[in-house]
Amino acid sequence: MRKGTFKYPDNRFGGHLPKRIPEPSEPRLSDNPVKYGFNDFMTQCRHSSLVRRTASPQNRIRDDPPMCVITEADNATAKSAWKQKNKSSTIKINRTMSKEIFVAFATQKGGIGKSTVTALAASYLHNVKGYNVAVVDCDDPQHSIHGLREHEMGLIDSSTYFKALACDHFRRIKKNAYTIVKSNAVNALDDAESMIATEDVKPDVVFFDMPGTLRSNGVIKTLSQMDYIFTPLSADRFVVESTLKFVTMFRDRLMTTGQAKTKGLHLFWTMVDGRERNDLYGIYEEVIAEMGFPVLSTRLPDSKKFRRDLSEERKSVFRSTIFPMDTALLKGSGIREFSEEISDIIRPQ
């Protein structure tokens, strides 16, 4: 990468690059041969043994919180929570999990860049910080992150340039791209456990991209099992009011009563317009501080670069589930500072 653009990597693969993403090299218990073919492709590219950091196991209960603790929340949320309570759950009591950290980006307002932030933070921690990361995309039915991965795999499969670029990247970081699991809020915890049990390299951090409403089945249950929740908000009165209602309900009805496993609930500003008055954020933050909620110091701007995906028309990329963010585009985006703040809070082992 030079002067903000990708440099075509030298052919250091003995003159060989797979002509296409191969079929799986061994039988798999899956109906997704493309995914496992891509895993084999990454393994071929690395050509070196991977230093695995397996987390020491510890018991972690993934049971449902009693839904009665939020019956005094606003009517819409309460009705949704009771519906979730009465539906059968696939989560069994006393499940054991490893020492991975569960992190969710969650809000009850859609269209605020939650999925994009999830993908960017996962990319930074995996490719730059060196942590082993996985993402559970339970934002059903959009599944934006999972869809982005499939789009990128298609480009790599059809392009010699991107195939060579991917091989060079996997050799350099000495590991594969992070795992993405397509799920929904009801099955997210089960699917996360299955993924962790089958992964050779155990994730240090598992990000959950949640649906944009608490009314979706399983959202309350899944959020209650997160170690940390990060909630985006923008300087819009309706967004702020809705967000504060959500975090207040979750803290007072679940965290303080011990019904949630959550250790930290943090807010952060996103889609910040540089033309807005700075004192507006200060006023909001004074109110938020009085309510007892921490706000990250990094404010993510409203920038078109956040939508810059991998494309045949351009060689620099920002939002990717495989490649690191272009150095030139990373400057001024706030993603480096934002991800470092998150890393300092969750402190992966």
Side-chain angles (χ1 to χ4, degrees):
M1 190 181 296
R2 293 181 178 177
K3 294 183 179 179
T5 59
F6 283 118
K7 175 182 179 296
Y8 195 99
D10 297 327
N11 191 340
R12 297 197 293 271
F13 313 105
H16 168 73
L17 278 174
K19 293 182 179 180
R20 64 182 301 278
I21 296 177
E23 295 298 323
S25 61
E26 59 184 70
R28 313 275 187 168
L29 296 176
S30 172
D31 57 355
N32 191 345
V34 175
K35 169 186 172 182
Y36 286 110
F38 187 69
N39 287 343
D40 287 347
F41 168 79
M42 291 187 288
T43 301
Q44 290 178 32
C45 288
R46 287 190 282 108
H47 284 288
S48 60
S49 60
L50 180 64
V51 179
R52 294 175 179 172
R53 300 185 297 165
T54 304
S56 58
Q58 68 174 15
N59 290 338
R60 185 170 188 170
I61 299 174
R62 296 290 184 200
D63 53 337
D64 293 344
M67 285 295 108
C68 59
V69 299
I70 59 171
T71 55
E72 297 178 11
D74 61 282
N75 292 335
T77 301
K79 289 179 181 178
S80 173
W82 277 103
K83 287 181 181 179
Q84 294 180 34
K85 173 192 174 184
N86 294 326
K87 283 185 174 290
S88 60
S89 170
T90 59
I91 302 300
K92 300 179 180 64
I93 297 176
N94 294 328
R95 301 197 106 162
T96 57
M97 303 291 286
S98 297
K99 200 178 178 181
E100 73 290 334
I101 299 172
F102 279 14
V103 178
F105 289 95
T107 179
Q108 60 178 2
K109 290 293 291 183
I112 201 168
K114 172 178 51 61
S115 297
T116 293
V117 172
T118 303
L120 293 175
S123 175
Y124 188 90
L125 264 62
H126 188 79
N127 293 313
V128 179
K129 297 290 289 183
Y131 296 118
N132 294 316
V133 171
V135 172
V136 179
D137 185 353
C138 36
D139 190 8
D140 186 38
Q142 297 91 318
H143 292 122
S144 303
I145 298 177
H146 182 269
L148 179 58
R149 169 63 61 83
E150 290 192 326
H151 169 71
E152 292 179 304
M153 288 194 303
L155 285 177
I156 291 172
D157 191 21
S158 61
S159 168
T160 302
Y161 174 85
F162 287 125
K163 195 179 278 99
L165 193 68
C167 276
D168 190 62
H169 171 60
F170 298 138
R171 281 174 56 90
R172 185 168 56 252
I173 67 174
K174 300 186 184 299
K175 60 181 178 180
N176 292 350
Y178 61 79
T179 298
I180 298 176
V181 178
K182 184 179 181 181
S183 185
N184 54 54
V186 173
N187 299 315
L189 297 172
D190 275 334
D191 290 340
E193 179 176 313
S194 298
M195 176 270 296
I196 292 169
T198 57
E199 287 289 303
D200 291 331
V201 181
K202 305 302 180 185
D204 303 307
V205 183
V206 181
F207 286 105
F208 289 74
D209 183 29
M210 302 299 297
T213 173
L214 294 181
R215 301 185 187 186
S216 297
N217 291 328
V219 171
I220 297 293
K221 174 194 67 181
T222 300
L223 285 178
S224 71
Q225 304 304 312
M226 297 296 106
D227 292 302
Y228 297 93
I229 297 175
F230 294 91
T231 300
L233 73 165
S234 62
D236 178 279
R237 183 170 63 87
F238 296 118
V239 173
V240 172
E241 289 178 355
S242 174
T243 301
L244 291 180
K245 180 183 294 185
F246 158 61
V247 295
T248 300
M249 180 277 293
F250 191 86
R251 181 193 62 186
D252 295 347
R253 307 300 179 184
L254 293 172
M255 291 178 65
T256 60
T257 59
Q259 305 306 318
K261 310 292 191 297
T262 310
K263 304 171 187 175
L265 178 57
H266 299 259
L267 283 69
F268 66 93
W269 295 107
T270 186
M271 303 181 73
V272 174
D273 189 338
R275 297 168 296 182
E276 291 175 325
R277 295 165 26 223
N278 287 331
D279 62 336
L280 179 63
Y281 292 95
I283 295 171
Y284 278 132
E285 289 189 7
E286 285 182 7
V287 175
I288 295 172
E290 291 178 358
M291 299 176 68
F293 293 107
V295 181
L296 300 188
S297 61
T298 304
R299 298 173 182 172
L300 300 178
D302 185 11
S303 173
K304 292 182 179 179
K305 70 174 66 176
F306 283 79
R307 300 184 290 275
R308 195 180 183 96
D309 300 333
L310 192 67
S311 170
E312 293 179 346
E313 286 73 36
R314 51 177 178 258
K315 304 307 180 184
S316 58
V317 62
F318 190 76
R319 183 174 59 182
S320 172
T321 67
I322 296 175
F323 297 108
M325 287 161 276
D326 184 276
T327 303
L329 295 176
L330 186 60
K331 295 179 180 178
S333 68
I335 290 298
R336 177 188 288 112
E337 298 80 2
F338 175 78
S339 301
E340 291 287 351
E341 271 197 86
I342 289 179
S343 179
D344 289 341
I345 292 170
I346 67 177
R347 296 187 179 277
Q349 300 297 317

